Amino acid sequence: MSILFTHAYYLSDDPKEQKIMKPYPPLGLLYVSAYLLSKNIPNTVFDSTFYTKEEQLTFILDKKPKIICIYTNLMTKIEVVKLIKILKTEQFGYPTIILGGPDVTYNIENYLKTGADFLVIGEGEETTFELYNAIRNNGNFHDINGISFIENEQIIQTEARAKFRELDELPLPNREAISMLKYLETWKNNHGKSSMTISTQRGCPYTCKWCSTAVYGQSYRRRPANLVAQEMKMLKDTYNPDAIWFVDDVFTISHKWLTAFHEEVVKQNAQIPFECITRAERLNDEILQLLKEAGCFRIWIGAESGSQKIIDLMDRRVDVNHVKKMIQDTNALGIETGTFIMLGYPGETEEDIHTTVQYLKEANPTHYTITIAYPIKGTSLYNEIEDDITIRPNWETSTDRDIDFKRTYSRKYYNYAVKKVVNEVEFHRAISKTSWKAFKLKTKSILATGLMKLYK
């Protein structure tokens, strides 16, 4: 019984990414594909990133798979819904559609009503394997943990799937199934260097209220350091990327693992320049040195706010001054830094925003990103503000990013607050050069401040 894995992200329909041009392959799909191959189940992957929906549909019509597994997340949900409705027609032979990914866990009824036959809740490898066999052999779906489906007009949700404990038993993602060359060339042509992704862990034990743990849960499971180094060596020999992006939530969570990783990377001659994400309290001078020696060129250190009050409301459990120090110490060691800022969190005031501006000036990260807080269904933040939701758009044509709730100030206020923060920080960086750019940035900051007052 033929099975196809695909998703619904199309670079050609994403103007924001077209400006950035830093696409990465669908690693989660490639892991499930590889797992099925390890169980002697042939499968095909159609990576839609560099193709249009029309090209995707033409491919599906040609292959006529009996089962289509689609990955869905916050960003691709709208297109996934459209794709399901097209596929569940006579033209495509009414294939069995299986959905997986972080967005299905707390939207079970919505996704099933769009036409999906089964939802995979949580990690997908073992569940998809068992579900495939049950479909092929007319088995009992009730015996499969971690799925949801409709039976006799009733939504059935089976027992939760136990987390995959021994990650060393997972085969490497099936990168051969897609055109890695397209990703490498896109990076190279736009940034002068190529980049690839590696996953070393699953789950996150921390409790940040805005963060979703819908797939891997609030846990910590890790692949052995020697196997990660082997994967790096394989990528180095096969694809020769200029950089690696470790997609883990907190790369330095285990100092013991990181020490072993450093040793294995050096021993196996597997060094590839890499960047990663971590938390400030999981860094110190020794760990920073190990990271640098292993090839780390950039560390993203979570901050979210310069205000300790807001960090505490988020349940981040970190000292903002320590975050600032770790960014400064990392800079001093010659490793680039990045940090994340979130504005508009419940309870945030103008004073907190000013504090965040000052924090960014003093910490001086090499890079920073700013988003306006939005509630993802299933998170503690969503549960806290659910009664205060003011805008809840149609589910099929919107994402959780479009949900709005009662904040200290209006949504437009925070739109201008983002401009204010960026222009203030960039002005601070440019002023030492006494440039016209600094004057322009200050003017923009003053304008943004005036508009913030207008929409308070």
Side-chain angles (χ1 to χ4, degrees):
M1 182 174 286
S2 54
I3 180 169
L4 169 73
F5 290 95
T6 192
H7 57 102
Y9 175 73
Y10 314 98
L11 180 59
S12 59
D13 291 341
D14 188 346
K16 288 185 178 179
E17 183 60 35
Q18 287 172 28
K19 293 179 181 178
I20 302 170
M21 293 304 280
K22 293 184 176 181
Y24 283 117
L27 210 56
L29 273 184
L30 301 183
Y31 262 110
V32 183
S33 169
Y35 188 80
L36 263 61
L37 286 177
S38 74
K39 301 294 184 181
N40 299 314
I41 298 174
N43 60 83
T44 305
V45 179
F46 184 88
D47 178 11
S48 61
T49 302
F50 297 101
Y51 299 92
T52 64
K53 181 176 289 183
E54 289 70 30
E55 291 171 315
Q56 180 182 35
L57 292 171
T58 298
F59 181 89
I60 294 172
L61 272 175
D62 179 58
K63 294 292 182 181
K64 294 183 175 59
K66 297 297 183 183
I67 300 173
I68 301 179
C69 299
I70 306 173
Y71 173 83
T72 182
N73 61 19
L74 184 77
M75 186 170 64
T76 62
K77 186 270 292 283
I78 296 173
E79 292 302 322
V80 166
V81 170
K82 293 177 183 177
L83 182 61
I84 293 171
K85 292 186 175 183
I86 294 172
L87 294 176
K88 296 299 282 189
T89 60
E90 184 177 358
Q91 181 185 14
F92 290 89
Y94 301 103
T96 298
I97 293 182
I98 302 172
L99 295 188
D103 206 50
V104 303
T105 304
Y106 299 101
N107 292 286
I108 290 173
E109 182 176 1
N110 286 327
Y111 274 116
L112 288 174
K113 285 184 175 179
T114 65
D117 296 288
F118 297 95
L119 306 182
V120 171
I121 313 297
E123 293 173 291
E125 288 86 2
E126 293 174 308
T127 307
T128 305
F129 170 62
E130 292 178 16
L131 183 55
Y132 171 83
N133 284 328
I135 294 170
R136 186 180 61 177
N137 301 316
N138 296 315
N140 187 349
F141 301 123
H142 294 262
D143 294 338
I144 302 171
N145 290 343
I147 65 171
S148 186
F149 56 96
I150 293 178
E151 184 178 79
N152 298 324
E153 300 184 355
Q154 296 293 317
I155 292 177
I156 307 297
Q157 185 171 353
T158 63
E159 290 186 25
R161 166 76 55 178
K163 300 289 187 296
F164 206 112
R165 296 300 308 173
E166 304 302 328
L167 298 189
D168 58 330
E169 296 177 3
L170 282 174
L172 293 180
N174 184 17
R175 294 184 176 93
E176 295 80 10
I178 66 173
S179 176
M180 286 304 308
L181 185 61
K182 288 182 181 292
Y183 287 95
L184 297 170
E185 288 181 342
T186 298
W187 270 80
K188 200 86 169 180
N189 293 339
N190 288 277
H191 307 287
K193 65 177 184 178
S194 58
S195 182
M196 297 182 73
T197 48
I198 292 179
S199 171
T200 79
Q201 69 183 63
R202 290 189 173 183
C204 177
Y206 295 99
T207 56
C208 307
K209 291 183 178 180
W210 40 263
C211 190
S212 175
T213 56
V215 175
Y216 297 136
Q218 197 173 335
S219 62
Y220 171 72
R221 293 159 289 144
R222 199 131 201 195
R223 295 168 56 207
N226 67 310
L227 296 186
V228 174
Q230 283 180 22
E231 182 176 9
M232 291 176 69
K233 185 67 166 64
M234 182 276 291
L235 295 183
K236 185 176 181 179
D237 292 342
T238 306
Y239 300 103
N240 194 29
D242 297 301
I244 291 293
W245 167 247
F246 284 107
V247 299
D248 313 308
D249 291 325
V250 188
F251 189 71
T252 65
I253 189 170
S254 169
H255 291 179
K256 180 180 178 181
W257 184 91
L258 192 66
T259 301
F261 169 76
H262 168 272
E263 180 182 333
E264 288 291 339
V265 166
V266 173
K267 183 170 70 175
Q268 297 187 40
N269 187 29
Q271 291 103 324
I272 303 173
F274 68 87
E275 60 181 312
C276 59
I277 303 174
T278 193
R279 290 172 59 98
E281 76 274 22
R282 301 311 300 157
L283 289 174
N284 57 39
D285 291 345
E286 180 183 355
I287 293 301
L288 285 173
Q289 188 60 43
L290 285 176
L291 286 167
K292 185 173 184 178
E293 291 174 7
C296 183
F297 70 91
R298 182 183 299 140
I299 305 174
W300 290 84
I301 304 172
E304 311 309 333
S305 176
S307 166
Q308 189 66 50
K309 180 190 85 177
I310 300 303
I311 284 178
D312 292 343
L313 286 173
M314 293 175 173
D315 200 19
R316 284 279 296 157
R317 304 186 187 186
V318 68
D319 184 337
V320 67
N321 290 317
H322 186 61
V323 178
K324 179 169 65 177
K325 182 180 185 301
M326 284 300 100
I327 291 175
Q328 293 168 337
D329 289 354
T330 304
N331 286 338
L333 197 60
I335 301 175
E336 289 186 18
T337 52
T339 198
F340 311 101
I341 295 295
M342 185 181 294
L343 298 182
Y345 198 83
E348 185 180 58
T349 65
E350 194 166 90
E351 181 180 352
D352 297 314
I353 295 172
H354 288 318
T355 302
T356 295
V357 170
Q358 190 60 31
Y359 157 79
L360 284 171
K361 289 178 180 179
E362 294 174 3
N364 194 29
T366 317
H367 310 275
Y368 59 92
T369 65
I370 304 179
T371 59
I372 297 176
Y374 57 90
I376 300 173
K377 199 171 182 182
T379 63
S380 296
L381 172 60
Y382 184 95
N383 295 335
E384 285 184 4
I385 61 88
E386 189 169 9
D387 291 339
D388 294 324
I389 289 177
T390 57
I391 297 177
R392 194 192 300 268
N394 177 271
W395 183 82
E396 288 192 5
T397 57
S398 68
T399 73
D400 289 350
R401 287 180 180 270
D402 301 311
I403 297 172
D404 203 8
F405 56 93
K406 293 178 184 176
R407 308 173 192 259
T408 308
Y409 312 115
S410 72
R411 175 60 186 255
K412 282 190 176 181
Y413 171 93
Y414 291 105
N415 290 339
Y416 290 114
V418 171
K419 299 178 185 295
K420 161 82 173 178
V421 173
V422 170
N423 286 304
E424 277 293 310
V425 173
E426 294 307 309
F427 168 73
H428 175 76
R429 294 180 174 188
I431 191 64
S432 60
K433 302 174 183 178
T434 321
S435 63
W436 278 104
K437 180 182 177 182
F439 174 77
K440 184 178 179 182
L441 290 164
K442 190 62 178 177
T443 302
K444 287 183 176 180
S445 175
I446 293 170
L447 178 60
T449 302
L451 290 167
M452 286 165 65
K453 290 178 180 178
L454 183 64
Y455 290 102
K456 248 185 171 182

